[in-house]
Amino acid sequence: MTANGAARVAAGAAMAHNAPVPAGEAARPKAILYVGGMHGHRDRLRGIAEAFNTTFVHHDGGVEDAPQRLDHLLPSVDCVFCPVNCVSHDACLRAKKICQKLNKPFVPLRSTGQTAFRKALQDLVGERSAVHLAPQGPGSEEGDTV
């Protein structure tokens, strides 16, 4: 297994147990897929991902995007985030199974909020400094400060 493959396995195992991943073990994701969530949050979440120099790809979880589209999106991303409170069960399970097959981290989020997403992304890359680059202001959630 390559060093990059080992880092992905370590990141995936740590995220499966909600444990932080040390910065030396996790490769910074170049692209992440966010499955589900609320349409109005998409741009704010994209801004958070961009603060980590990560491309944000979105699949709406089956509202307008067909669940089968996940089969085509997943090979091009490094990690998947899925807010379990706002996504179809089919899309979430499909994404999780494909992540297991492709050995990619699958990160279930408790909510669609920006704070949950930012924290999970920080834990994945093992970095706290990007929180200061994330958009703040009238569009941010209450309690977004870290």
Side-chain angles (χ1 to χ4, degrees), residues 1-42:
M1 180 180 293
T2 66
N4 190 20
R8 281 193 178 150
V9 170
M15 291 311 296
H17 299 297
N18 294 324
V21 179
E25 292 181 29
R28 179 177 301 275
K30 293 178 182 138
I32 57 135
L33 175 62
Y34 190 88
V35 180
M38 301 175 77
H39 184 71
H41 290 184
R42 186 175 52 199

Side-chain angles (χ1 to χ4, degrees), residues 36-116:
M38 301 175 77
H39 184 71
H41 290 184
R42 186 175 52 199
D43 290 336
R44 292 183 201 136
L45 297 176
R46 179 174 280 114
I48 292 168
E50 289 173 355
F52 286 89
N53 295 319
T54 299
T55 302
F56 181 86
V57 179
H58 182 254
H59 182 284
D60 69 11
V63 177
E64 292 180 16
D65 294 331
Q68 295 80 9
R69 183 171 172 248
L70 290 168
D71 300 341
H72 302 289
L73 290 173
L74 272 154
S76 65
V77 299
D78 300 309
C79 180
V80 175
F81 292 87
C82 186
V84 296
N85 67 333
C86 193
V87 66
S88 78
H89 292 291
D90 179 48
C92 190
L93 290 174
R94 181 183 290 264
K96 183 176 181 179
K97 286 179 184 177
I98 296 170
C99 283
Q100 289 172 340
K101 186 188 304 184
L102 298 175
N103 198 25
K104 295 186 182 201
F106 175 83
V107 184
L109 302 172
R110 291 181 184 221
S111 75
T112 60
Q114 298 170 60
T115 302

